[in-house]
Amino acid sequence: MLRKVMNCNWKIFWENFNECLHCPGVHKDLSRLVPIYGRGLMGRHDDPEWARHADNDAPEFAGGLRAGAETWSRDGRVHGSVFSSLTPAERAAGQTYATNLPSMFVVGHVDYVRTVRLVPLGPEQTELTAEWLFSPEALVDPAADIDNIVAFGTQVLEEDADICEVNQKGLRSMRHKAGVLMPEEYDLHRFHNWVRERHAALEHQSDLGR
Ligand SMILES: [Fe+2]
Protein backbone atom coordinates (compact mmCIF):
# COMPACT_ATOMS: atom_id res chain seq x y z
CA MET A 1 0.00 0.00 0.00
CA LEU A 2 1.10 3.56 -0.71
CA ARG A 3 -0.34 6.39 1.33
CA LYS A 4 0.73 9.89 0.49
CA VAL A 5 -0.40 13.44 1.19
CA MET A 6 -0.17 15.55 -1.96
CA ASN A 7 -0.03 19.32 -1.64
CA CYS A 8 -2.66 19.95 -4.27
CA ASN A 9 -6.40 20.23 -4.65
CA TRP A 10 -8.17 17.00 -5.59
CA LYS A 11 -9.37 18.54 -8.89
CA ILE A 12 -5.78 19.09 -9.97
CA PHE A 13 -5.17 15.37 -9.54
CA TRP A 14 -8.11 14.53 -11.81
CA GLU A 15 -7.13 17.12 -14.40
CA ASN A 16 -3.72 15.49 -14.59
CA PHE A 17 -5.30 12.03 -14.70
CA ASN A 18 -7.42 13.03 -17.70
CA GLU A 19 -4.63 13.91 -20.10
CA CYS A 20 -1.37 12.42 -21.27
CA LEU A 21 0.29 15.53 -22.68
CA HIS A 22 2.45 15.37 -19.54
CA CYS A 23 3.40 11.73 -20.10
CA PRO A 24 6.51 12.06 -22.33
CA GLY A 25 8.11 14.58 -19.95
CA VAL A 26 6.89 13.26 -16.59
CA HIS A 27 6.61 9.49 -17.09
CA LYS A 28 9.73 8.45 -19.01
CA ASP A 29 9.60 4.78 -18.00
CA LEU A 30 5.83 4.47 -18.41
CA SER A 31 6.11 6.08 -21.85
CA ARG A 32 8.56 3.37 -22.83
CA LEU A 33 6.17 0.68 -21.55
CA VAL A 34 3.06 2.21 -23.18
CA PRO A 35 4.44 3.78 -26.37
CA ILE A 36 1.32 5.80 -27.26
CA TYR A 37 1.73 7.67 -23.94
CA GLY A 38 5.17 8.67 -25.19
CA ARG A 39 3.38 10.53 -27.98
CA GLY A 40 1.33 12.45 -25.40
CA LEU A 41 -1.83 10.56 -26.37
CA MET A 42 -4.12 8.38 -24.25
CA GLY A 43 -5.46 6.26 -27.09
CA ARG A 44 -5.71 5.76 -30.82
CA HIS A 45 -8.72 8.09 -31.12
CA ASP A 46 -6.60 11.00 -29.82
CA ASP A 47 -4.21 10.89 -32.76
CA PRO A 48 -4.61 14.05 -34.88
CA GLU A 49 -3.44 11.95 -37.85
CA TRP A 50 -5.59 8.96 -36.99
CA ALA A 51 -6.68 8.41 -40.60
CA ARG A 52 -3.07 7.96 -41.70
CA HIS A 53 -2.39 5.51 -38.84
CA ALA A 54 -5.75 3.71 -38.80
CA ASP A 55 -4.29 0.48 -40.18
CA ASN A 56 -1.12 0.58 -38.12
CA ASP A 57 -1.30 -1.84 -35.21
CA ALA A 58 2.08 -0.90 -33.71
CA PRO A 59 1.57 0.05 -30.03
CA GLU A 60 2.64 3.68 -30.55
CA PHE A 61 -0.44 4.05 -32.77
CA ALA A 62 -2.82 1.39 -31.47
CA GLY A 63 -2.13 1.76 -27.72
CA GLY A 64 -1.29 -1.14 -25.41
CA LEU A 65 2.07 -2.25 -24.12
CA ARG A 66 5.35 -2.32 -26.06
CA ALA A 67 6.15 -5.58 -27.86
CA GLY A 68 7.08 -8.29 -25.38
CA ALA A 69 5.65 -6.50 -22.34
CA GLU A 70 2.77 -8.06 -20.41
CA THR A 71 1.98 -5.84 -17.44
CA TRP A 72 2.86 -2.67 -15.58
CA SER A 73 6.06 -3.65 -13.77
CA ARG A 74 9.65 -2.40 -13.79
CA ASP A 75 10.66 -4.80 -16.55
CA GLY A 76 7.22 -5.06 -18.16
CA ARG A 77 7.12 -8.81 -17.48
CA VAL A 78 4.68 -10.93 -15.55
CA HIS A 79 6.22 -12.77 -12.62
CA GLY A 80 3.96 -15.58 -11.47
CA SER A 81 0.21 -16.15 -11.83
CA VAL A 82 -2.07 -14.24 -14.18
CA PHE A 83 -5.89 -14.03 -14.07
CA SER A 84 -7.15 -16.97 -16.09
CA SER A 85 -10.56 -15.61 -17.15
CA LEU A 86 -9.38 -12.59 -19.19
CA THR A 87 -10.39 -12.24 -22.82
CA PRO A 88 -7.66 -11.89 -25.44
CA ALA A 89 -8.66 -8.20 -25.83
CA GLU A 90 -8.29 -7.58 -22.07
CA ARG A 91 -4.92 -9.32 -22.13
CA ALA A 92 -3.77 -7.26 -25.11
CA ALA A 93 -4.97 -3.95 -23.63
CA GLY A 94 -2.24 -4.06 -20.96
CA GLN A 95 -4.31 -1.81 -18.71
CA THR A 96 -8.06 -1.42 -18.26
CA TYR A 97 -9.27 1.64 -16.36
CA ALA A 98 -12.48 2.13 -14.42
CA THR A 99 -13.00 5.59 -12.96
CA ASN A 100 -15.38 6.55 -10.19
CA LEU A 101 -15.32 10.34 -9.76
CA PRO A 102 -14.48 12.04 -7.51
CA SER A 103 -12.75 9.58 -5.25
CA MET A 104 -11.38 6.49 -6.96
CA PHE A 105 -9.99 4.76 -10.00
CA VAL A 106 -9.19 1.10 -10.53
CA VAL A 107 -6.81 -0.38 -13.08
CA GLY A 108 -6.89 -4.01 -14.08
CA HIS A 109 -3.74 -5.69 -15.38
CA VAL A 110 -3.28 -9.33 -16.38
CA ASP A 111 -1.80 -10.29 -13.01
CA TYR A 112 -3.10 -7.76 -10.47
CA VAL A 113 -5.54 -4.93 -9.85
CA ARG A 114 -4.52 -1.50 -8.58
CA THR A 115 -6.88 0.82 -6.74
CA VAL A 116 -6.22 4.51 -6.11
CA ARG A 117 -8.42 6.45 -3.69
CA LEU A 118 -8.46 10.17 -2.97
CA VAL A 119 -9.62 12.03 0.12
CA PRO A 120 -9.43 15.84 0.20
CA LEU A 121 -7.83 17.00 3.45
CA GLY A 122 -8.20 20.69 2.63
CA PRO A 123 -8.32 23.11 -0.32
CA GLU A 124 -4.69 22.37 -1.19
CA GLN A 125 -4.10 18.93 0.29
CA THR A 126 -5.29 15.53 -0.89
CA GLU A 127 -4.52 12.13 0.58
CA LEU A 128 -3.85 9.39 -1.95
CA THR A 129 -4.05 5.71 -1.05
CA ALA A 130 -2.96 3.11 -3.59
CA GLU A 131 -3.33 -0.62 -3.11
CA TRP A 132 -2.16 -3.53 -5.22
CA LEU A 133 -4.47 -6.52 -5.17
CA PHE A 134 -3.18 -9.96 -6.11
CA SER A 135 -4.89 -13.31 -6.41
CA PRO A 136 -4.35 -15.75 -3.50
CA GLU A 137 -2.27 -17.91 -5.88
CA ALA A 138 0.07 -15.00 -6.69
CA LEU A 139 0.60 -14.24 -3.02
CA VAL A 140 1.99 -17.74 -2.37
CA ASP A 141 3.70 -18.11 -5.76
CA PRO A 142 7.49 -18.14 -5.20
CA ALA A 143 7.96 -16.74 -8.73
CA ALA A 144 5.81 -13.68 -7.99
CA ASP A 145 7.91 -10.51 -7.80
CA ILE A 146 5.48 -8.19 -6.12
CA ASP A 147 8.14 -5.56 -5.33
CA ASN A 148 8.88 -5.23 -9.05
CA ILE A 149 5.23 -4.35 -9.69
CA VAL A 150 4.64 -2.12 -6.68
CA ALA A 151 7.85 -0.16 -7.32
CA PHE A 152 6.76 0.68 -10.85
CA GLY A 153 3.24 1.80 -9.91
CA THR A 154 4.62 3.81 -6.99
CA GLN A 155 7.06 5.57 -9.31
CA VAL A 156 4.24 6.60 -11.70
CA LEU A 157 2.04 7.85 -8.84
CA GLU A 158 4.94 9.79 -7.31
CA GLU A 159 5.67 11.40 -10.68
CA ASP A 160 2.02 12.44 -10.98
CA ALA A 161 1.91 13.73 -7.39
CA ASP A 162 5.04 15.83 -7.98
CA ILE A 163 3.67 17.46 -11.13
CA CYS A 164 0.28 18.06 -9.46
CA GLU A 165 2.08 19.92 -6.67
CA VAL A 166 3.92 22.03 -9.26
CA ASN A 167 0.57 22.77 -10.89
CA GLN A 168 -0.90 23.86 -7.54
CA LYS A 169 2.03 26.24 -7.01
CA GLY A 170 1.41 27.65 -10.50
CA LEU A 171 -2.22 28.38 -9.66
CA ARG A 172 -1.00 30.35 -6.63
CA SER A 173 1.15 32.52 -8.87
CA MET A 174 0.03 36.15 -8.90
CA ARG A 175 0.18 36.09 -12.67
CA HIS A 176 -2.22 33.18 -13.05
CA LYS A 177 -5.66 34.11 -14.32
CA ALA A 178 -6.92 31.14 -16.32
CA GLY A 179 -5.59 28.28 -18.39
CA VAL A 180 -6.29 27.20 -21.94
CA LEU A 181 -7.34 23.66 -22.80
CA MET A 182 -5.57 21.88 -25.62
CA PRO A 183 -7.61 19.73 -28.04
CA GLU A 184 -6.09 16.62 -26.40
CA GLU A 185 -7.61 17.75 -23.09
CA TYR A 186 -11.22 17.02 -24.05
CA ASP A 187 -11.49 14.79 -20.98
CA LEU A 188 -10.54 17.74 -18.76
CA HIS A 189 -13.39 19.67 -20.35
CA ARG A 190 -15.69 16.77 -19.54
CA PHE A 191 -14.37 16.75 -15.96
CA HIS A 192 -14.87 20.53 -15.62
CA ASN A 193 -18.45 20.15 -16.81
CA TRP A 194 -18.99 17.32 -14.33
CA VAL A 195 -17.75 19.57 -11.48
CA ARG A 196 -20.01 22.42 -12.67
CA GLU A 197 -23.03 20.12 -12.85
CA ARG A 198 -22.39 18.73 -9.38
CA HIS A 199 -22.04 22.28 -8.01
CA ALA A 200 -25.28 23.35 -9.67
CA ALA A 201 -27.08 20.29 -8.29
CA LEU A 202 -25.81 20.97 -4.75
CA GLU A 203 -26.83 24.64 -4.97
CA HIS A 204 -30.26 23.60 -6.17
CA GLN A 205 -30.57 21.21 -3.23
CA SER A 206 -29.58 23.86 -0.71
CA ASP A 207 -32.05 26.33 -2.31
CA LEU A 208 -34.81 23.77 -1.82
CA GLY A 209 -33.76 23.33 1.78
CA ARG A 210 -34.22 27.02 2.56
FE1 LIG B 1 0.46 10.97 -15.19
Side-chain angles (χ1 to χ4, degrees):
M1 182 198 282
L2 168 71
R3 184 162 281 159
K4 182 180 175 67
V5 173
M6 303 179 292
N7 289 314
C8 69
N9 185 275
W10 63 276
K11 296 188 289 299
I12 288 182
F13 180 89
W14 283 114
E15 286 187 329
N16 176 72
F17 177 87
N18 278 311
E19 51 84 5
C20 213
L21 290 173
H22 71 279
C23 293
V26 169
H27 302 303
K28 299 246 188 276
D29 290 335
L30 177 59
S31 292
R32 270 192 284 273
L33 180 65
V34 186
I36 202 165
Y37 291 176
R39 298 176 59 222
L41 307 174
M42 289 190 289
R44 164 165 252 163
H45 53 273
D46 293 345
D47 189 343
E49 298 191 321
W50 64 272
R52 219 155 60 80
H53 302 139
D55 294 332
N56 195 329
D57 286 333
E60 60 264 44
F61 300 110
L65 306 176
R66 71 164 181 258
E70 301 157 291
T71 192
W72 281 34
S73 61
R74 273 211 187 283
D75 59 3
R77 309 300 304 210
V78 158
H79 300 271
S81 317
V82 298
F83 299 123
S84 54
S85 57
L86 298 177
T87 64
E90 286 166 335
R91 213 175 286 273
Q95 62 274 322
T96 304
Y97 279 85
T99 305
N100 188 19
L101 287 175
S103 56
M104 188 174 195
F105 72 89
V106 179
V107 195
H109 300 282
V110 294
D111 51 346
Y112 68 98
V113 172
R114 183 163 52 101
T115 68
V116 177
R117 285 175 289 147
L118 300 172
V119 177
L121 302 180
E124 296 188 16
Q125 265 195 342
T126 306
E127 184 185 65
L128 176 150
T129 306
E131 290 182 272
W132 285 257
L133 311 177
F134 294 87
S135 66
E137 300 83 63
L139 291 174
V140 295
D141 185 345
D145 187 356
I146 287 173
D147 290 347
N148 186 312
I149 287 166
V150 173
F152 185 76
T154 299
Q155 179 189 330
V156 173
L157 287 168
E158 297 271 8
E159 289 165 350
D160 279 323
D162 287 351
I163 203 69
C164 286
E165 291 186 349
V166 169
N167 196 349
Q168 181 71 65
K169 280 190 192 150
L171 293 180
R172 275 224 158 263
S173 157
M174 286 170 68
R175 290 179 178 276
H176 173 74
K177 290 203 170 58
V180 176
L181 292 182
M182 303 291 285
E184 295 90 337
E185 293 178 307
Y186 58 89
D187 259 346
L188 265 80
H189 184 55
R190 198 148 46 195
F191 172 66
H192 291 164
N193 285 339
W194 180 84
V195 172
R196 281 192 199 101
E197 281 163 21
R198 298 299 299 164
H199 260 294
L202 287 171
E203 275 172 18
H204 181 64
Q205 269 174 16
S206 68
D207 285 348
L208 290 176
R210 269 186 206 133

